[in-house]
Amino acid sequence: MDFAIKMTDVRKDYGTFSLKDFSLEIPRGYVTGLIGSNGAGKSTMMKCITGAVIMDSGNVEMGNGMILKDFGVVFDECPFPQYIDCLHLSTIFGKMFDGWDQRRYLELLSKYGIDQRKKVKDLSRGMSMKLQIAVAFSHPTRFLMLDEPTAGMDPASRDEFLDDLREYMQDEDHTILISSHITTDLEKVADYIVFINGGEMMVQDEKDRFTETYGIVRHAGECPLDRELILSVRHHAHGSDYLVGDKAGVREAYPELVVDDACLEDIMVMIARGSEA
Amino acid sequence: MNALLWKDLYSTRGTLAIMLVIAILFSWCLGNGGPMSFFIGSAMASTVVGTCMNLDEKAGWHRFAISSGIRRRDILNSKCIMAVLAPSIGIIAGFIALGLGALDGPLVIDVLGCACVIVFGLCFGIFTSMAMIYCCYRLSSNYAGLFAAIIIGASVGLLVGLNEALGQVIADGAWVFVAISAILLALAVAFYLLAYRVLLRKDF
Amino acid sequence: MELIISNSSSRPIYEQITEQIKGHILSGRLKAGDPLPSMRALAQDLKISVITTKRAYNDLEAEGFITTVTGKGCYVSATEPSLLRENNLKIAEEHILKAVELAKQSEISLEELQEIVKILYEGE
């Protein structure tokens, strides 16, 4: 399977935080979701890909002749000139991007309920995200890089946005990298999931494999499981939680144990706040 | 026109206009509808560059621009064009002030003197703009305001304090202005190169 | 083509898809030569991962229920009677296995079980 982006041993040291030997392949034609707590390194990683942040060492390769001009980017804070209104903003993009579709841009503004005459600074958080999305969809792209795009959006808007992403993915040359805290969004739209913690790539797999095969064993007392099965453990006052990668297998081997289904959020919290067995 | 340049000009159109008006009024009030107006207008217009840098930094524009495939070099070059354009607008302010001065009575213009001051004002404006750009990239655009205040203060102080003396210098040998202008331009180029180096390695 | 996907079912989603499409084909609701939605279109409609739809279609193709024509899409294969029979035999076997396990648990003999099958088969 060919990749859209390949990161190899990327390092970036900020003093208090660093990205360590980060290697990742983002497959072309699929949606890859990035999950990690604040400060885990998601934004840094994304900026290393585009070169907004200069890596200390390592390599970023783009597959299939893709270049930065093919990127559509959405950041957690709106990067557009604050004192320009949404309509005149498009003049900048018209000059910046080849194939800018002004008609589509205006349609999207209308669809997202953004007033053309409003200045960027006067938009609410959710509205400014939608503005960035409208811009990203209004010029031909092959790669969408979305950093927390749905934060601040109401559920109906989020649903609409996910529909728009699915429409974008009908072209199999398109790839999306989306980081989000709203794990339910990723459950709905992602094909692959990458968990990041403390600047390191923890695990990458098909999204369905996480939701269908990972589980959490809840048990009080001594650890009942074979150490090798445990990915992460959290201790509470009244017992412990063990994250396992094969819940069906564990249920069969240990029929007496309580094995819960794990959603992406559960897995993320176990990775972020748990410890190795 | 270049997208970045259009953005900067459109964003600061209000500031440019205000600067223009202030420069004209100031020069007119100074009663010196002559050469010095060019100098003041130019110095003040260069603060527009500082405003551009500030706007960019507050919004986080650079990470968007770079992530969309714009080269860092092109970002710097468009700022440099502003660094030349803004002082040029200051020169226009000077001409307007001159024109207004003519309303009071017939003007006695030392053409050579004016030309020297125009050149000097332009170069001073470019120099301060480039220094501002370097300062903002090296440190942060929060200093832009401080820096601009220093420039304006110095320019006004020079102008008011040495008004008479400057008039004498022009009379004696306007070439002094030309010489200083050349130095200022060279310094501006130095700041450009420094800014280039800083920008290439900067994280956004 | 109607497809209902349940997130709360214990069966993986791709299995639910293959089951239901097979059901449509075997019951005749989908006829030989009928086009199926593309993997991506199906993923979009059902709001699931395209990996899942790919897997479902691959499985269906491996079992001979559908064929992919490159550049055109997926179509229902001509249903051979032997395919139908084979599939139903597999399902019957699964049911009988359950009966056999139950019988063994309760110490019901093979003869008793065979008697029941005979009565049920001839009775209907």
Side-chain angles (χ1 to χ4, degrees):
Chain A
M1 180 195 339
D2 40 13
F3 58 85
I5 309 270
K6 181 152 91 168
M7 298 175 79
T8 323
D9 294 332
V10 170
R11 271 194 197 208
K12 177 66 189 176
D13 193 4
Y14 274 118
T16 49
F17 161 82
S18 51
L19 218 54
K20 310 178 235 311
D21 296 325
F22 201 92
S23 296
L24 173 67
E25 255 188 54
I26 298 171
R28 186 167 75 104
Y30 295 94
V31 178
T32 298
L34 218 56
I35 300 184
S37 41
N38 292 331
K42 305 189 297 292
S43 297
T44 307
M45 182 208 124
M46 286 175 144
K47 288 194 266 189
C48 281
I49 292 177
T50 61
V53 154
I54 312 275
M55 307 179 285
D56 293 334
S57 66
N59 192 38
V60 170
E61 205 186 317
M62 292 190 201
N64 259 83
M66 196 161 65
I67 53 173
L68 267 184
K69 286 211 179 278
D70 298 325
F71 273 48
V73 285
V74 173
F75 290 103
D76 47 357
E77 279 174 27
C78 189
F80 302 149
Q82 299 288 304
Y83 292 89
I84 301 185
D85 62 81
C86 297
L87 180 58
H88 285 95
L89 207 57
S90 58
T91 315
I92 301 175
F93 302 127
K95 296 173 192 290
M96 239 174 99
F97 299 120
D98 294 329
W100 172 260
D101 189 345
Q102 178 70 355
R103 203 173 52 99
R104 177 114 203 264
Y105 175 69
L106 295 174
E107 269 170 21
L108 285 171
L109 284 188
S110 159
K111 177 178 165 192
Y112 292 147
I114 301 174
D115 185 357
Q116 287 178 17
R117 294 158 303 176
K118 258 198 163 157
K119 293 201 162 66
V120 174
K121 69 176 171 63
D122 295 327
L123 294 174
S124 67
R125 174 93 198 269
M127 282 299 196
S128 66
M129 300 310 285
K130 288 196 220 179
L131 175 65
Q132 289 191 66
I133 291 159
V135 171
F137 279 141
S138 298
H139 66 107
T141 54
R142 292 172 65 188
F143 189 88
L144 282 187
M145 199 169 80
L146 315 170
D147 194 355
E148 309 274 352
T150 57
M153 264 194 216
D154 62 271
S157 301
R158 263 193 269 129
D159 192 62
E160 185 181 47
F161 170 62
L162 294 179
D163 279 341
D164 290 341
L165 289 187
R166 288 186 195 104
E167 182 61 44
Y168 181 80
M169 289 309 294
Q170 289 308 295
D171 184 337
E172 55 186 37
D173 189 41
H174 288 171
T175 308
I176 294 180
L177 177 64
I178 168 171
S179 88
S180 186
H181 284 145
I182 306 175
T183 52
T184 44
D185 282 349
L186 294 182
E187 267 160 17
K188 289 177 195 165
V189 82
D191 300 313
Y192 290 92
I193 300 283
V194 178
F195 283 95
I196 296 184
N197 198 38
E200 285 183 50
M201 218 269 284
M202 303 301 289
V203 63
Q204 173 184 20
D205 207 342
E206 292 171 18
K207 183 254 312 178
D208 287 331
R209 202 157 292 167
F210 284 115
T211 48
E212 285 170 1
T213 65
Y214 280 56
I216 297 185
V217 175
R218 310 208 193 260
H219 185 77
E222 255 200 55
C223 174
L225 297 165
D226 189 355
R227 292 273 140 148
E228 285 186 0
L229 296 170
I230 303 174
L231 299 167
S232 177
V233 60
R234 278 188 84 191
H235 301 293
H236 307 287
H238 304 291
S240 309
D241 293 335
Y242 303 90
L243 181 67
V244 292
D246 179 14
K247 68 181 169 205
V250 169
R251 279 178 181 147
E252 219 182 286
Y254 304 85
E256 76 283 3
L257 288 181
V258 172
V259 185
D260 279 343
D261 293 335
C263 66
L264 287 181
E265 185 175 324
D266 297 329
I267 300 174
M268 174 194 145
V269 172
M270 287 296 291
I271 289 179
R273 303 196 67 195
S275 45
E276 301 237 339
Chain B
M1 191 201 288
N2 181 292
L4 302 171
L5 189 59
W6 191 94
K7 168 183 79 73
D8 285 335
L9 283 175
Y10 191 78
S11 294
T12 55
R13 65 197 190 285
T15 318
L16 274 169
I18 293 174
M19 289 278 129
L20 208 64
V21 169
I22 293 178
I24 296 168
L25 284 176
F26 195 86
S27 303
W28 196 21
C29 290
L30 211 54
N32 194 349
M36 286 307 141
S37 3
F38 299 106
F39 181 57
I40 265 287
S42 200
M44 293 183 89
S46 68
T47 65
V48 164
V49 172
T51 308
C52 290
M53 301 297 288
N54 207 8
L55 288 175
D56 276 358
E57 190 175 310
K58 287 283 184 296
W61 168 258
H62 287 89
R63 57 183 173 156
F64 173 79
I66 295 171
S67 299
S68 301
I70 295 183
R71 293 177 303 185
R72 292 171 182 243
R73 172 176 56 189
D74 292 333
I75 296 176
L76 181 61
N77 287 344
S78 86
K79 287 292 183 292
C80 291
I81 296 177
M82 276 302 279
V84 175
L85 269 182
S88 307
I89 292 174
I91 299 296
I92 294 173
F95 277 111
I96 296 177
L98 214 57
L100 287 174
L103 295 174
D104 285 338
L107 276 178
V108 175
I109 305 176
D110 168 18
V111 175
L112 182 62
C114 268
C116 288
V117 178
I118 288 174
V119 167
F120 174 70
L122 195 58
C123 293
F124 185 76
I126 295 174
F127 161 72
T128 52
S129 301
M130 284 312 310
M132 176 88 72
I133 291 172
Y134 170 69
C135 182
C136 290
Y137 278 137
R138 181 72 175 77
L139 304 165
S140 122
S141 67
N142 292 330
Y143 293 95
L146 181 64
F147 196 60
I150 295 175
I151 296 173
I152 296 176
S155 312
V156 172
L158 261 179
L159 192 61
V160 174
L162 308 175
N163 208 356
E164 304 264 315
L166 281 168
Q168 191 62 35
V169 172
I170 295 177
D172 288 342
W175 62 269
V176 172
F177 282 93
V178 177
I180 301 178
S181 305
I183 296 173
L184 288 175
L185 269 188
L187 286 173
V189 169
F191 274 121
Y192 172 83
L193 293 171
L194 284 172
Y196 187 71
R197 237 186 51 169
V198 167
L199 186 58
L200 235 48
R201 303 291 317 164
K202 192 171 162 110
D203 291 330
F204 289 107
Chain C
M1 176 174 69
E2 286 173 9
L3 281 177
I4 312 283
I5 301 297
S6 165
N7 277 323
S8 43
S9 164
S10 55
R11 315 194 71 171
I13 296 182
Y14 75 91
E15 249 184 55
Q16 295 180 43
I17 297 177
T18 50
E19 284 283 309
Q20 291 181 50
I21 293 183
K22 270 192 228 175
H24 288 316
I25 294 176
L26 291 173
S27 69
R29 282 188 292 269
L30 276 177
K31 305 197 183 19
D34 280 350
L36 289 167
S38 74
M39 296 177 216
R40 289 188 178 266
L42 189 63
Q44 183 181 23
D45 291 334
L46 294 177
K47 304 193 189 223
I48 56 177
S49 167
V50 70
I51 297 175
T52 309
T53 55
K54 253 194 195 170
R55 205 148 160 204
Y57 277 26
N58 284 344
D59 284 355
L60 286 170
E61 192 166 8
E63 291 180 44
F65 283 91
I66 65 174
T67 36
T68 322
V69 180
T70 23
K72 285 194 146 196
C74 297
Y75 296 87
V76 179
S77 325
T79 330
E80 303 168 12
S82 59
L83 209 65
L84 249 116
R85 186 176 181 278
E86 212 178 294
N87 196 68
N88 285 338
L89 189 60
K90 209 164 38 157
I91 297 175
E93 213 179 294
E94 282 169 19
H95 288 307
I96 295 175
L97 180 62
K98 287 198 191 129
V100 165
E101 282 173 359
L102 209 64
K104 283 188 180 173
Q105 270 182 28
S106 323
E107 297 192 2
I108 299 171
S109 70
L110 177 59
E111 288 76 29
E112 276 183 83
L113 208 55
Q114 283 174 324
E115 189 61 40
I116 297 173
V117 174
K118 193 164 185 293
I119 295 173
L120 288 173
Y121 199 91
E122 288 170 354
E124 301 286 11

